[in-house]
Amino acid sequence: MKPLLSEQIDKPLLEARLQDQLISELCDKGWSIIPDFIPSEDIEQLQQAAAELLRQDLFHQAGIGQGESHALHERIRSDHIMWLDPANTSGSLGRYLALLEAFRLLINRTLYLNLHDYEGHVAIYPPGSFYRKHLDQFQGDDRRTVTAILYLNDDWKEADGGQLRIYTDAAQHNYEEVLPHAGQFVTFLSSRFVHEVLPARRERLSITGWFRRRSGL
Protein backbone atom coordinates (compact mmCIF):
# COMPACT_ATOMS: atom_id res chain seq x y z
CA MET A 1 0.00 0.00 0.00
CA LYS A 2 1.40 3.38 -1.00
CA PRO A 3 2.23 5.70 1.91
CA LEU A 4 0.14 8.79 2.47
CA LEU A 5 1.36 12.31 1.67
CA SER A 6 2.79 12.77 5.16
CA GLU A 7 5.28 9.97 4.43
CA GLN A 8 6.00 10.86 0.81
CA ILE A 9 6.84 14.54 0.89
CA ASP A 10 9.76 16.33 2.48
CA LYS A 11 8.55 18.20 5.53
CA PRO A 12 10.13 21.52 4.43
CA LEU A 13 8.30 21.27 1.08
CA LEU A 14 5.01 20.56 2.82
CA GLU A 15 5.48 23.47 5.20
CA ALA A 16 6.41 25.80 2.33
CA ARG A 17 3.23 24.88 0.46
CA LEU A 18 1.06 25.35 3.53
CA GLN A 19 2.72 28.59 4.51
CA ASP A 20 2.54 30.07 1.00
CA GLN A 21 -1.23 29.73 0.79
CA LEU A 22 -3.00 28.25 3.78
CA ILE A 23 -1.17 30.05 6.57
CA SER A 24 -1.16 33.39 4.76
CA GLU A 25 -4.91 33.11 3.96
CA LEU A 26 -5.79 32.16 7.53
CA CYS A 27 -3.89 35.23 8.66
CA ASP A 28 -5.32 37.61 6.05
CA LYS A 29 -8.92 36.38 5.66
CA GLY A 30 -9.48 33.87 8.42
CA TRP A 31 -10.31 31.09 5.96
CA SER A 32 -8.59 29.11 3.22
CA ILE A 33 -9.60 26.65 0.48
CA ILE A 34 -6.94 24.43 -1.10
CA PRO A 35 -7.94 22.05 -3.92
CA ASP A 36 -6.01 18.79 -4.38
CA PHE A 37 -4.51 19.04 -0.90
CA ILE A 38 -3.47 15.41 -1.06
CA PRO A 39 -3.08 13.14 -4.13
CA SER A 40 -5.95 11.12 -5.59
CA GLU A 41 -4.40 7.79 -4.54
CA ASP A 42 -4.40 8.97 -0.94
CA ILE A 43 -8.02 10.04 -1.25
CA GLU A 44 -8.84 6.54 -2.49
CA GLN A 45 -7.25 5.02 0.60
CA LEU A 46 -9.25 7.32 2.87
CA GLN A 47 -12.44 6.54 0.96
CA GLN A 48 -11.80 2.83 1.42
CA ALA A 49 -11.15 3.32 5.14
CA ALA A 50 -14.41 5.24 5.53
CA ALA A 51 -16.31 2.59 3.57
CA GLU A 52 -14.95 -0.09 5.91
CA LEU A 53 -16.04 1.88 8.97
CA LEU A 54 -19.49 2.24 7.44
CA ARG A 55 -19.62 -1.49 6.70
CA GLN A 56 -18.86 -2.14 10.38
CA ASP A 57 -21.81 0.11 11.33
CA LEU A 58 -19.61 2.39 13.46
CA PHE A 59 -21.40 5.65 12.61
CA HIS A 60 -24.12 7.26 14.70
CA GLN A 61 -26.45 10.17 14.14
CA ALA A 62 -24.79 13.46 15.00
CA GLY A 63 -26.23 15.80 17.60
CA ILE A 64 -25.64 19.36 18.77
CA GLY A 65 -24.21 20.63 22.04
CA GLN A 66 -21.99 18.74 24.44
CA GLY A 67 -22.25 17.07 27.81
CA GLU A 68 -25.69 17.28 29.38
CA SER A 69 -26.86 19.66 26.66
CA HIS A 70 -26.08 17.20 23.85
CA ALA A 71 -29.20 16.27 21.90
CA LEU A 72 -30.36 15.10 18.49
CA HIS A 73 -32.12 17.76 16.44
CA GLU A 74 -32.85 16.44 12.96
CA ARG A 75 -34.19 19.82 11.86
CA ILE A 76 -30.74 21.32 12.54
CA ARG A 77 -28.40 18.56 11.39
CA SER A 78 -28.94 15.11 9.91
CA ASP A 79 -25.46 13.74 9.22
CA HIS A 80 -23.86 10.64 10.76
CA ILE A 81 -20.39 10.63 12.30
CA MET A 82 -17.68 8.43 13.74
CA TRP A 83 -15.20 10.09 16.10
CA LEU A 84 -11.50 9.46 15.54
CA ASP A 85 -9.16 8.66 18.42
CA PRO A 86 -5.69 9.88 17.34
CA ALA A 87 -4.03 7.49 19.79
CA ASN A 88 -5.78 4.45 18.30
CA THR A 89 -6.23 5.33 14.63
CA SER A 90 -3.98 3.52 12.15
CA GLY A 91 -3.70 3.02 8.40
CA SER A 92 -4.56 5.84 6.02
CA LEU A 93 -6.66 7.67 8.61
CA GLY A 94 -3.77 7.53 11.09
CA ARG A 95 -1.37 8.91 8.52
CA TYR A 96 -3.77 11.72 7.69
CA LEU A 97 -3.96 12.60 11.39
CA ALA A 98 -0.15 12.65 11.44
CA LEU A 99 -0.25 15.17 8.61
CA LEU A 100 -2.67 17.31 10.62
CA GLU A 101 -0.34 17.13 13.60
CA ALA A 102 2.44 18.62 11.44
CA PHE A 103 -0.01 21.32 10.41
CA ARG A 104 -0.88 22.06 14.05
CA LEU A 105 2.79 22.60 14.89
CA LEU A 106 3.23 24.84 11.86
CA ILE A 107 0.24 27.00 12.85
CA ASN A 108 1.67 27.39 16.33
CA ARG A 109 5.04 28.48 14.97
CA THR A 110 3.61 30.96 12.47
CA LEU A 111 0.30 32.24 13.88
CA TYR A 112 0.99 31.72 17.61
CA LEU A 113 -2.47 30.27 18.27
CA ASN A 114 -1.21 27.93 21.02
CA LEU A 115 -3.13 24.95 19.62
CA HIS A 116 -2.96 21.99 21.98
CA ASP A 117 -4.66 19.09 20.22
CA TYR A 118 -7.05 17.93 17.49
CA GLU A 119 -10.45 16.30 17.64
CA GLY A 120 -12.32 15.11 14.60
CA HIS A 121 -14.62 12.63 12.97
CA VAL A 122 -15.51 11.07 9.66
CA ALA A 123 -18.87 12.49 8.59
CA ILE A 124 -21.36 11.00 6.16
CA TYR A 125 -24.33 12.97 4.86
CA PRO A 126 -26.91 10.59 3.35
CA PRO A 127 -28.97 12.01 0.47
CA GLY A 128 -31.18 14.80 1.80
CA SER A 129 -28.95 15.52 4.79
CA PHE A 130 -27.85 19.01 5.88
CA TYR A 131 -26.48 21.08 8.75
CA ARG A 132 -28.10 24.47 9.41
CA LYS A 133 -26.20 27.66 10.27
CA HIS A 134 -23.89 27.31 13.24
CA LEU A 135 -20.53 28.18 14.79
CA ASP A 136 -18.01 25.49 15.61
CA GLN A 137 -17.68 26.50 19.26
CA PHE A 138 -19.88 25.27 22.06
CA GLN A 139 -21.51 27.73 24.43
CA GLY A 140 -19.11 28.31 27.30
CA ASP A 141 -16.29 26.37 25.62
CA ASP A 142 -13.89 28.29 23.37
CA ARG A 143 -11.28 25.55 22.85
CA ARG A 144 -12.06 24.92 19.17
CA THR A 145 -9.89 27.42 17.31
CA VAL A 146 -9.29 26.27 13.72
CA THR A 147 -11.73 24.10 11.75
CA ALA A 148 -10.19 21.74 9.18
CA ILE A 149 -12.20 19.75 6.61
CA LEU A 150 -11.00 17.32 3.95
CA TYR A 151 -13.57 16.20 1.36
CA LEU A 152 -13.62 12.69 -0.14
CA ASN A 153 -16.26 12.90 -2.89
CA ASP A 154 -15.48 11.98 -6.49
CA ASP A 155 -17.08 13.79 -9.44
CA TRP A 156 -19.15 16.16 -7.30
CA LYS A 157 -21.33 18.54 -9.31
CA GLU A 158 -23.28 21.68 -8.49
CA ALA A 159 -26.53 19.76 -8.93
CA ASP A 160 -25.45 17.36 -6.16
CA GLY A 161 -25.89 20.11 -3.56
CA GLY A 162 -24.08 19.64 -0.25
CA GLN A 163 -22.13 22.90 -0.53
CA LEU A 164 -20.34 24.27 2.50
CA ARG A 165 -21.46 27.88 2.80
CA ILE A 166 -19.14 30.08 4.88
CA TYR A 167 -20.58 33.47 5.81
CA THR A 168 -17.71 35.91 5.50
CA ASP A 169 -19.25 38.93 7.23
CA ALA A 170 -20.92 39.38 10.60
CA ALA A 171 -24.25 40.34 9.02
CA GLN A 172 -24.20 37.08 6.99
CA HIS A 173 -24.92 38.91 3.74
CA ASN A 174 -21.83 37.61 1.96
CA TYR A 175 -20.60 34.07 1.74
CA GLU A 176 -18.20 31.70 0.07
CA GLU A 177 -19.59 28.40 -1.21
CA VAL A 178 -17.44 25.28 -1.46
CA LEU A 179 -18.33 22.16 -3.40
CA PRO A 180 -17.06 19.11 -1.48
CA HIS A 181 -14.71 17.87 -4.20
CA ALA A 182 -12.38 15.00 -3.33
CA GLY A 183 -9.05 16.32 -2.04
CA GLN A 184 -10.32 19.81 -1.27
CA PHE A 185 -9.10 21.07 2.11
CA VAL A 186 -10.94 23.89 3.91
CA THR A 187 -9.80 25.68 7.05
CA PHE A 188 -11.27 28.64 8.93
CA LEU A 189 -11.27 30.25 12.36
CA SER A 190 -13.87 28.36 14.35
CA SER A 191 -15.15 31.26 16.47
CA ARG A 192 -15.46 33.73 13.62
CA PHE A 193 -17.41 32.18 10.76
CA VAL A 194 -21.01 31.04 10.82
CA HIS A 195 -21.43 28.31 8.21
CA GLU A 196 -23.82 25.63 7.04
CA VAL A 197 -23.98 22.53 4.86
CA LEU A 198 -26.70 22.75 2.23
CA PRO A 199 -28.84 19.65 1.57
CA ALA A 200 -26.90 16.97 -0.28
CA ARG A 201 -28.57 15.03 -3.06
CA ARG A 202 -26.08 12.16 -2.93
CA GLU A 203 -23.95 10.68 -0.18
CA ARG A 204 -21.38 13.23 0.99
CA LEU A 205 -18.21 12.24 2.84
CA SER A 206 -15.64 14.28 4.74
CA ILE A 207 -13.13 14.20 7.56
CA THR A 208 -14.01 17.16 9.76
CA GLY A 209 -12.17 18.32 12.84
CA TRP A 210 -10.90 21.11 15.02
CA PHE A 211 -7.55 22.22 16.38
CA ARG A 212 -8.12 23.21 19.98
CA ARG A 213 -6.49 25.35 22.63
CA ARG A 214 -6.35 24.34 26.26
CA SER A 215 -9.43 25.28 28.25
CA GLY A 216 -9.33 28.79 29.71
CA LEU A 217 -6.58 30.14 27.44
Side-chain angles (χ1 to χ4, degrees):
M1 182 175 290
K2 191 173 182 180
L4 198 70
L5 178 62
S6 56
E7 298 180 1
Q8 294 179 47
I9 195 166
D10 290 338
K11 191 174 180 181
L13 291 178
L14 173 61
E15 292 187 354
R17 182 189 181 200
L18 289 173
Q19 190 159 344
D20 283 347
Q21 179 176 351
L22 196 153
I23 295 296
S24 62
E25 289 181 346
L26 273 181
C27 182
D28 294 340
K29 301 186 299 184
W31 55 272
S32 176
I33 302 168
I34 297 183
D36 302 320
F37 181 67
I38 61 176
S40 59
E41 56 267 30
D42 300 319
I43 291 295
E44 290 176 8
Q45 290 185 28
L46 292 169
Q47 290 169 335
Q48 292 166 8
E52 177 61 21
L53 296 173
L54 187 61
R55 187 190 67 79
Q56 296 178 33
D57 197 26
L58 296 177
F59 288 79
H60 63 273
Q61 187 171 345
I64 62 172
Q66 65 175 342
E68 294 182 355
S69 66
H70 182 269
L72 301 180
H73 289 280
E74 294 185 2
R75 293 184 179 181
I76 298 176
R77 69 180 300 186
S78 51
D79 57 316
H80 293 74
I81 62 173
M82 196 215 74
W83 287 98
L84 297 171
D85 178 359
N88 295 297
T89 300
S90 59
S92 58
L93 284 167
R95 292 190 293 273
Y96 175 66
L97 294 182
L99 180 60
L100 291 182
E101 173 62 12
F103 179 36
R104 181 187 71 85
L105 297 174
L106 176 62
I107 293 177
N108 282 345
R109 289 199 302 274
T110 54
L111 300 182
Y112 309 106
L113 292 181
N114 199 27
L115 303 177
H116 173 64
D117 62 10
Y118 169 87
E119 67 172 2
H121 56 239
V122 182
I124 291 180
Y125 285 73
S129 297
F130 54 83
Y131 195 165
R132 303 300 187 200
K133 289 182 182 180
H134 63 284
L135 276 175
D136 277 349
Q137 284 191 344
F138 298 114
Q139 187 173 1
D141 184 346
D142 64 355
R143 286 178 298 169
R144 288 181 175 178
T145 305
V146 177
T147 300
I149 309 166
L150 177 69
Y151 292 111
L152 304 176
N153 309 289
D154 292 327
D155 304 317
W156 199 274
K157 299 177 177 60
E158 192 85 26
D160 295 324
Q163 295 93 335
L164 172 68
R165 180 177 289 179
I166 305 172
Y167 292 90
T168 54
D169 64 328
Q172 300 177 29
H173 293 152
N174 300 298
Y175 56 82
E176 187 78 16
E177 272 192 4
V178 185
L179 284 175
H181 293 298
Q184 189 141 248
F185 187 64
V186 179
T187 55
F188 55 87
L189 299 179
S190 305
S191 65
R192 182 170 161 187
F193 295 102
V194 172
H195 56 287
E196 63 180 317
V197 176
L198 303 184
R201 298 184 181 91
R202 52 177 276 208
E203 185 176 88
R204 178 187 188 275
L205 181 64
S206 67
I207 303 174
T208 299
W210 304 270
F211 295 101
R212 305 186 301 179
R213 297 177 295 183
R214 292 183 187 273
S215 179
L217 293 181

